[in-house]
Amino acid sequence: MRFSQAALVIASLISLGYAQSATSSYVEPSVPTGSPIVGNYTGKYRPQTHYSPPSGFMNDPNGMFKDADGPDNTSGFFSNQTNGVVAMWTRAEYNPDPGPQTQWISYSTDGGYTFTDYENNPVIDSTSSQFRDPKVFRYEDYWVAVIAYSQEFAIGIFTSPNLRDWTHASNFTNAGLFGLQYECPNLIQMPMQGSSDPMYLLAISINPGAPLGGSITQYFPGQFNGTHFTAVDSAARIADFGKDNYAGQWFYGIPGTEPQVSIAWASNWQYGQDVPTGPLEGFRSVMSLPRQNYLANVTRIGYDLISVPYDLSPILGETLAENSSLGNGTLFADLSTVPSNAIYFELNLTSIPAANNTGSANFTLLSSTTGETVSGGQFLNGDFPFFLDRGRINGYDNVFFTNRFSTNQLIPSSGEFFMSGVFDRSILEVFIQQGERSATITLYPEQPIDTFVFRTGGLNAGIEGSAKVVALESAWARYENASGTVTGNSTQAVKRNKMGASELLW
């Protein structure tokens, strides 16, 4: 996480993917929930199925939880309730040069709408200007926090019985890709396919220093004993083979035996503050789709993070095009009549031979007005490369805005190949083999994308294929008035200091 001014950076408490009703059981009745912040979300680059701020800049997701339920008042802040919220956050001082980064806590009795600072902050002191991004979770009968010693390339592990008093337990150091600094750690328990025992995954983001430049998230599967994390090996596994997926964080409150749900910042620090949505539409950055995650041994390295979209059924619209016997052929879909300009697409190939494979399966997103395209696809021979190409999109020019991306996806012995994706105006996410590989890229066409094409060619005789393209409904549209302005949550977030006085956050 970057800090812009001498200000407090407080954990944002996001319930995306687990939307509360308008009569939440733990928020004051006057606080509207389950509705977006007032703004105009109709711009040509404004995603309709991804979260973005109404205006201004947004970066790393943090503070996400499924609900406010937890152990009974271990912090001692909530004498008459069992559903309070405690936020742990980094206070960064600038005087005017960067000063120490220390860890503070604040507590909320209204579900995260207002906060009061703990009177004995900081709860973890520091003299370092590079000590940040706490992530807290429950382990057995105590709390654990992972915090980045960013430029020492270490993740500190701390324990506490009550969220107020913390003890340093261990460090996880010098692992994987270093870049120039570690950021945004997350230690999460999740299922391991084929095992009844879940494993732990430690995610560490680096910036700059990603293989493609700028920022990226890497992950380490392993075991956690309550004080020490031990990785299964020294491999640096990358969570996304695109360039616009950083600082992924997981929702708190999901049992470790169930797939976990994450969201990432869909941008890159090399150009995230320079994208055309800023001057043209007054906002910068979006979040990835919420994704379900678990571990599986599906590649030669093993311990792979599977990543697929969280349930899309609430926004699935009409089927635009479908072919259940594609073979070597083409499938077109017209997006010009889709109000959201957002789609879900999928392609499935079966009966792929074990040897002597030929052919490819590709997709193209096209603007018929300008001829701009973004494309991707899988080759079924050689070393089985999969590619993405945004180099023929003309609405943004930046030397660091890398055009082409690729990975390798072996065809399993079952002879099946599956790819899916979501395109949403200015962001594309693709998922290969049910999430064994995933990529996130942003794109800024001069004119809207209005055509989608699947093409398969040169496939071996006997390979069968099916493909489908489905419109996605806008998540904003239901809240818009006649002028296109969302009129949902018009309240302002505040924080209360230790004297009880309110401080406006935005």
Side-chain angles (χ1 to χ4, degrees), residues 330-333 335 362-366 376 451-455 469:
T330 303
L331 180 70
F332 288 89
L335 279 59
N362 305 320
F363 68 85
T364 300
L365 289 149
L366 166 71
T451 306
F452 181 89
V453 185
F454 265 133
R455 288 190 178 90
V469 184

Side-chain angles (χ1 to χ4, degrees), residues 328-395:
N328 286 301
T330 303
L331 180 70
F332 288 89
D334 181 5
L335 279 59
S336 64
T337 60
V338 179
S340 67
N341 195 223
I343 59 169
Y344 166 80
F345 58 90
E346 64 177 41
L347 179 141
N348 188 42
L349 300 177
T350 60
S351 303
I352 300 172
N356 302 315
N357 302 331
T358 61
S360 62
N362 305 320
F363 68 85
T364 300
L365 289 149
L366 166 71
S367 169
S368 62
T369 304
T370 62
E372 295 168 281
T373 63
V374 59
S375 58
Q378 175 78 24
F379 290 91
L380 299 183
N381 54 6
D383 54 3
F384 304 99
F386 185 98
F387 75 94
L388 285 174
D389 184 356
R390 63 181 177 187
R392 293 180 174 86
I393 296 292
N394 303 326

Side-chain angles (χ1 to χ4, degrees), residues 88 123-124 136 143-145 158-160 163-168:
M88 188 175 190
V123 293
I124 303 179
V136 180
W143 300 96
V144 176
F158 298 78
T159 62
S160 172
L163 297 172
R164 305 178 187 220
D165 305 301
W166 290 90
T167 302
H168 178 260

Side-chain angles (χ1 to χ4, degrees), residues 155-212:
I155 303 300
I157 298 175
F158 298 78
T159 62
S160 172
N162 55 17
L163 297 172
R164 305 178 187 220
D165 305 301
W166 290 90
T167 302
H168 178 260
S170 65
N171 285 342
F172 181 81
T173 62
N174 300 321
L177 302 174
F178 287 9
L180 290 188
Q181 58 192 352
Y182 282 176
E183 292 190 310
C184 306
N186 199 310
L187 184 58
I188 189 80
Q189 191 180 41
M190 64 179 59
M192 176 68 187
Q193 188 179 69
S195 173
S196 59
D197 298 322
M199 295 184 66
Y200 277 84
L201 178 145
L202 177 61
I204 302 175
S205 294
I206 61 168
N207 172 59
L212 293 173

Side-chain angles (χ1 to χ4, degrees), residues 37-197:
I37 301 171
V38 170
N40 190 297
Y41 298 85
T42 60
K44 71 175 183 178
Y45 291 141
R46 173 76 73 168
Q48 299 296 292
T49 67
H50 293 71
Y51 181 79
S52 60
S55 62
F57 178 66
M58 173 189 71
N59 61 323
D60 315 338
N62 54 82
M64 305 179 303
F65 59 84
K66 179 180 178 180
D67 54 51
D69 295 333
D72 293 343
N73 193 26
T74 58
S75 65
F77 294 135
F78 313 106
S79 58
N80 297 313
Q81 63 183 112
T82 59
N83 56 3
V85 178
V86 177
M88 188 175 190
W89 49 280
T90 297
R91 185 180 191 271
E93 296 184 13
Y94 292 82
N95 298 304
D97 295 328
Q101 294 182 349
T102 55
Q103 313 312 310
W104 287 40
I105 60 173
S106 303
Y107 60 93
S108 172
T109 58
D110 55 16
Y113 179 64
T114 61
F115 282 85
T116 300
D117 289 344
Y118 174 46
E119 62 182 3
N120 291 323
N121 277 323
V123 293
I124 303 179
D125 207 353
S126 166
T127 58
S128 171
S129 63
Q130 304 293 329
F131 176 57
R132 58 182 177 270
D133 301 343
K135 176 66 177 182
V136 180
F137 64 96
R138 189 76 173 168
Y139 183 87
E140 295 183 351
D141 62 348
Y142 57 93
W143 300 96
V144 176
V146 288
I147 309 172
Y149 294 95
S150 292
Q151 295 182 7
E152 298 175 40
F153 304 106
I155 303 300
I157 298 175
F158 298 78
T159 62
S160 172
N162 55 17
L163 297 172
R164 305 178 187 220
D165 305 301
W166 290 90
T167 302
H168 178 260
S170 65
N171 285 342
F172 181 81
T173 62
N174 300 321
L177 302 174
F178 287 9
L180 290 188
Q181 58 192 352
Y182 282 176
E183 292 190 310
C184 306
N186 199 310
L187 184 58
I188 189 80
Q189 191 180 41
M190 64 179 59
M192 176 68 187
Q193 188 179 69
S195 173
S196 59
D197 298 322

Side-chain angles (χ1 to χ4, degrees), residues 462-480:
I463 293 181
E464 299 178 354
S466 62
K468 180 167 62 174
V469 184
V470 180
L472 295 177
E473 297 177 357
S474 170
W476 308 113
R478 73 190 71 175
Y479 303 102
E480 292 175 358

